[in-house]
Amino acid sequence: MTQDELKALVGQAALQYVVPGALVGVGTGSTVNHFIDALAAIKDTITGAVSSSEASSERLRARGIPVLDSNTVERLPVYIDGADEIDHQGYMIKGGGAALTREKIVADLAERFVCIADESKLVKTLGRFPLPVEVIPMAAAQVARRFKALGGDANLRAGVVTDNGNVILDVRGLSIADPLAMESEVNQWPGVVTVGIFARHKAGVCLLGTAAGVKTLTF
Ligand code: 5RP
């Protein structure tokens, strides 16, 4: 199976976590696009979605799924999103699609984070995928220097402005042995909006697309 077929498989499998009569939190990316397409078939069983990006909102609306403002919602039973890396504790790196800030906001509203990913995303230690960090533009150079002191090489993602009007630094060369500690540390740096480590908002379940079918990991 191709990587895209594995993504489609888990996008479809995620429907079992959608709670009838409730809202669903929707992430961003090519795996989530498959989930949105699958969701369209059961759209009459849900009240709508809270979305983590303009791109996902547009896709949801195009399929007739109402998108609610996150400020009007207190809790979501479930948030479904992809990942760039996930480890065996459910800690993730996210933000390859530059939507990490809104993804963490919607994940924070949810009781359960269901990660959908193809098997290439499962890693022993986070950090092979360059860590995305959303920063306020005037802080980019200083945040890059702080990463350098930790052994990381931070580069501005060319041509990208986030839905929130900020920039993304991609940091290579980090081995993230303690995701909770690094998330807390980087979050304290002035100008950092969101670091793409999802440790405080880790996955509770991961549906992993493998050649042998969907494997369910619970954390
Ligand atoms: C977007 C994300 C995505 O979940 C992540 O990049 C995975 O994307 P894809 O499903 O396309 O592989 O964090 O900001």
Side-chain angles (χ1 to χ4, degrees), residues 7 28-32 81-84 94-100 103 121:
K7 290 180 179 192
T28 299
S30 56
T31 315
V32 165
D81 198 359
D84 298 304
K94 292 185 43 54
L100 64 167
E103 289 172 344
K121 307 291 184 70

